[in-house]
């Protein structure tokens, strides 16, 4: 493309979805494939508020990823908050940016003008506390507007935020603080969720006990409970933010400057801090949000995820705000005070786009249709789902009952690593099918491969890979590029491996079948079996443990633990509770084991490797279909385990 056509740097993101039918979709996909640089440069120059417009697209490739992270738009400079806030002030200053609904039903509306002011003040306050460009800040909060304000305030400074989901334990929080070397922690006294309080400040204090990098803790008051206080370190949000400088110039950042680090679980070891960078991430966030959901100016858009996960980053905060949308932040749960909560909100706020997870859809469907039908849902136009495969029954309930057969369902497949949606219907363009994420977005070239790396053409099944870089993908693992390369490019050199299995039908539609590695997806929460196992063996009475997933009707997957006790250790009645307490302490409240089976030993190969395939089969209730177990060191263990399996 021509370098430097004079485009005003602060363009209005007035952006109807250009992909209105399947023909246009194919045309866009074709162009993004044939000329990725031209396609994405044009896109980003039009829809992102660059300070210096980029003239180069992709540099680097999956083949030379081991030499260093690839880059997009490397000669551009920007501050993402100008795309999310400043450029909307003129035309959308009085439009609601964040529509917050609290646990008890209280509502706060923050206009783009008000949000801009609060972000500037929070940025000034953080700067006064010592936070500088490139430094890390941990955000450990519930779903309050200040969580988004804190993220944007960090971005305004050019500091790198790492949001840690409020369910994580002190130990998990401490690991993340250490790994990214954060010196500032932003938290709140307590979070509120479903009528319960979550003691965030107390957990944060525990995470900082002993030697800690943390120099300052900024604390938002949410419930007013008395909390422990470390003078000189702890600072109340209300003491410093409202009085901090109202003006805070957005610090210019290179396109590849990190915007955030977000930790996610893998098959092995501790969670990895995936690094997303300013230019490419924002380009992908706004593009996918605008096209997939077919965003319109008057939409009331509600993604009911938590900002602690990538969905919250991309589709509550960065994507919607870059598009000048009204984005809902929801503090509560789908079942508080009852299973009508979402639909009550839809009626009261006239929500047009709702984005949730299959686990919530299944849980609500199980409560009966009356909770839905008693509310007016005529405002709804697009219904999104994300996080795990959606079974056709849940899909149909979402379509028929919630959407009254009128709304488009967008089943969006993506990952923390991909930054944003990769395979999904584009609301007005793609004919949907219950249970299929349908087709790849422009810029995404999926491939199915056999475990040996052979590409499967046409209809078939295989390991889901992506063959070409796209702007939104994570660039590296914080502090460990080698781990990034090994994890994602080690399986098939030159190709990104997602960890998912997938089927493609005769029409080229993709049907994700779930993880093929040792990653669990429990109620949309991603956790590594290795994390559970290391928590379990930390219990005194446990000698060995192996954890696998098994199908669970609501949560998608349940957690099944095979436990070998220490010789002589008694199997006490409260063993399950004790083991769960270990997992809660090591990981967090969301890490619950559903079933514990005590076994005399684990099935191992002669080289000592635990054969999880066998354990998975038994947990699924298919212990009679194990196939060849002759490579086991002691095949009799399998009989004992099979005999101990109980159909619950
Ligand atoms: C894993 C990524 C993407 C934001 C939330 C989860 C599974 C995600 C779908 C979908 C089938 C899906 C995959 C993926 N997944 N969306 N629409 N259909 N599976 O992000 O925690 O990084 O987890 O979630 O297994 O690998 P994450």
């Amino acid at each position: 493309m021509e370098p430097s056509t004079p485009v005003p740097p602060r363009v209005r993101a007035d952006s109807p979805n250009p992909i209105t039918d399947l023909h246009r979709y194919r045309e866009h996909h074709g162009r993004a494939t044939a000329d990725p640089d031209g396609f994405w440069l044009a896109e980003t120059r039009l829809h992102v508020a660059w300070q210096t417009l980029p003239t180069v697209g992709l540099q680097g490739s999956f083949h030379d990823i081991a030499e260093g992270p690839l880059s997009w738009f490397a000669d551009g400079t920007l501050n993402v908050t100008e795309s999310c806030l400043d450029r909307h002030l003129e035309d959308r200053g009085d439009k609601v940016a964040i529509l917050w609904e609290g646990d008890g039903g209280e509502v706060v509306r923050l206009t783009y003008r008000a949000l801009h002011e609060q972000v500037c003040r929070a940025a000034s306050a953080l700067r006064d506390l010592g936070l500088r460009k490139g430094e890390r800040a941990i955000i450990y909060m519930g779903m309050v507007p200040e969580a988004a304000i804190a993220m944007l305030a960090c971005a305004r400074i050019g500091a790198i935020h790492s949001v840690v989901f409020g369910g994580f334990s002190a130990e998990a929080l401490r690991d993340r603080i250490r790994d990214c070397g954060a010196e500032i922690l932003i938290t709140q006294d307590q979070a509120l969720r479903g009528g319960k309080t979550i003691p965030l400040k107390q957990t944060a204090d525990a995470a900082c006990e002993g030697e800690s990098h943390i120099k300052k803790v900024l604390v938002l008051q949410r419930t007013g409970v008395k909390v422990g206080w470390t003078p000189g370190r702890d600072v109340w949000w209300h003491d410093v933010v409202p009085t901090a400088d109202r003006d805070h110039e957005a610090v210019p950042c290179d396109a590849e400057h990190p915007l955030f680090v977000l930790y996610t679980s893998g098959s092995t070891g501790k969670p990895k801090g995936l690094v997303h960078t300013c230019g490419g991430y924002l380009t992908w966030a706004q593009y996918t949000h605008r096209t997939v959901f077919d965003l319109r100016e008057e939409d009331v858009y509600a993604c009911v995820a938590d900002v602690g996960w990538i969905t919250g980053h991309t589709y509550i905060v960065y994507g919607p705000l870059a598009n000048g949308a009204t984005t809902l932040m929801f503090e509560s749960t789908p079942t508080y005070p009852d299973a009508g909560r979402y639909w009550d909100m839809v009626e009261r706020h006239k929500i047009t786009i709702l984005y949730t997870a299959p686990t919530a859809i299944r849980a609500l469907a199980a409560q009966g249709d009356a909770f839905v039908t008693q509310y007016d849902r005529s405002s709804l136009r697009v219904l999104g789902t994300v996080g795990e495969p959606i079974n056709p029954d849940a899909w149909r309930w979402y379509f028929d009952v919630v959407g009254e057969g009128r709304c488009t369902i967008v089943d969006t497949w993506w990952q923390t690593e991909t930054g944003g949606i990769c395979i999904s219907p584009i609301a007005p363009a793609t004919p949907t099918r219950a249970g299929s994420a349908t087709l790849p977005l422009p810029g995404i070239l999926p491939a199915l491969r056999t475990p040996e790396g052979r590409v499967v053409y046409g209809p078939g099944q295989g390991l889901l890979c992506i063959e070409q870089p796209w702007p939104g993908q994570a660039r590296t693992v914080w502090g460990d590029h080698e781990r990034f390369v090994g994890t994602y490019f080690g399986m098939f050199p030159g190709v990104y491996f997602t960890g998912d299995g997938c089927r493609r039908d005769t029409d080229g539609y993709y049907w994700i079948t779930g993880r093929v590695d040792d990653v669990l997806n429990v109620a949309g929460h991603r956790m590594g079996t290795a994390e559970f196992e290391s928590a379990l063996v930390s219990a005194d009475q446990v000698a060995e443990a192996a954890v696998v997933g098994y199908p669970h009707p609501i949560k998608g997957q349940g957690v099944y633990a095979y436990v070998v006790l220490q010789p002589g250790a008694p199997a006490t009645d409260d063993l399950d509770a004790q083991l769960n307490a270990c997992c809660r302490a090591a990981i967090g409240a969301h890490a619950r084991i559903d079933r514990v089976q005590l076994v005399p030993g684990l099935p191992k190969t002669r080289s000592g490797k635990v054969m999880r395939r066998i354990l998975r089969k038994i947990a699924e209730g298919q212990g009679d279909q194990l196939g060849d177990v002759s490579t086991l060191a002691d095949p009799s263990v399998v009989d004992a385990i099979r005999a101990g399996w109980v159909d619950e």
Side-chain angles (χ1 to χ4, degrees), residues 178-250:
R178 283 208 181 128
D179 187 79
C180 73
E183 296 188 348
I184 292 201
L185 171 58
I186 308 168
T187 187
Q188 58 192 75
D189 52 357
Q190 292 180 318
L192 266 182
R193 206 164 169 269
K196 298 199 185 90
T197 55
I198 301 154
L200 294 179
K201 173 65 163 68
Q202 194 186 320
T203 309
D205 284 343
C208 298
E209 252 165 42
E211 221 172 293
S212 174
H213 302 270
I214 296 292
K215 297 203 175 108
K216 293 285 175 192
V217 180
L218 181 59
V219 189
L220 177 82
Q221 195 166 50
R222 171 69 184 101
T223 64
V225 72
K226 200 172 156 28
V227 290
W229 205 254
T230 305
R233 186 197 69 179
D234 297 354
V235 182
W236 283 113
W237 179 288
H238 57 252
D239 282 341
V240 295
V241 175
T243 50
D245 201 340
R246 196 246 165 277
D247 295 314
H248 192 291
E249 204 155 326

Side-chain angles (χ1 to χ4, degrees), residues 396-426:
R396 279 193 206 95
W397 184 81
Y398 203 26
F399 183 77
D400 292 333
V401 179
V402 174
E404 303 174 284
R406 243 184 328 99
C407 303
T408 309
I409 307 281
V410 289
D411 174 3
T412 63
W413 176 88
W414 58 295
Q415 312 176 291
T416 305
E417 293 86 344
T418 68
I421 298 168
C422 288
I423 304 180
S424 166
I426 290 175

Side-chain angles (χ1 to χ4, degrees), residues 328-460:
L328 180 113
M329 280 184 86
F330 178 48
E331 190 180 30
S332 195
T333 74
T335 51
Y336 183 75
D338 63 37
R341 184 65 183 266
Y342 282 174
W343 326 116
D344 180 25
M345 284 203 296
V346 166
E347 177 178 303
R348 278 185 290 111
H349 300 306
K350 303 212 171 5
I351 291 168
T352 55
I353 304 171
L354 180 77
Y355 194 21
T356 186
T359 187
I361 297 167
R362 286 190 296 261
L364 294 176
Q367 302 285 316
D369 298 357
F371 281 111
V372 185
T373 53
Q374 66 182 288
Y375 297 102
D376 177 9
R377 282 120 44 236
S378 58
S379 56
L380 288 172
R381 195 179 78 247
V382 179
L383 298 171
T385 153
V386 61
E388 50 178 312
I390 181 165
N391 46 309
D393 283 350
W395 194 101
R396 279 193 206 95
W397 184 81
Y398 203 26
F399 183 77
D400 292 333
V401 179
V402 174
E404 303 174 284
R406 243 184 328 99
C407 303
T408 309
I409 307 281
V410 289
D411 174 3
T412 63
W413 176 88
W414 58 295
Q415 312 176 291
T416 305
E417 293 86 344
T418 68
I421 298 168
C422 288
I423 304 180
S424 166
I426 290 175
T430 319
T432 55
R433 251 166 247 175
S436 172
T438 74
L439 298 168
L441 296 191
I444 298 298
L445 290 184
L448 305 183
R449 287 176 179 255
T450 65
E452 299 74 40
R454 204 165 35 77
V455 175
V456 177
Y457 294 97

